Amino acid sequence: MDAGFDIVVRFVPHYGWLYLVIANGIEHARGEFQRDAMAALMRGQAIAEKIFGEARV
């Protein structure tokens, strides 16, 4: 049974955008601040691939 995961992109005023990788209510990764939302999303996707494997992305 393969459960999915979420990549959450958050904006923090005065800091920028960061990603969170969450699966089954557990935070598996939290990224560093990025200048824009797309950069944070792409980094989140890359780390999710490392954590869960290519087949799940």
Side-chain angles (χ1 to χ4, degrees):
M1 170 163 65
D2 248 355
F5 62 89
D6 296 308
I7 299 174
V8 178
V9 177
R10 287 189 179 164
F11 178 71
V12 179
H14 309 292
Y15 288 95
W17 296 87
L18 72 133
Y19 69 82
L20 302 152
V21 177
I22 301 171
N24 298 323
I26 299 169
E27 182 181 310
H28 291 270
R30 179 182 296 236
E32 63 283 344
F33 289 102
Q34 300 296 317
R35 196 177 308 198
D36 59 60
M38 186 57 76
L41 177 62
M42 297 306 290
R43 288 192 184 223
Q45 186 173 3
I47 197 69
E49 186 175 314
K50 288 180 182 179
I51 294 170
F52 299 113
E54 227 175 293
R56 289 190 60 185
V57 175

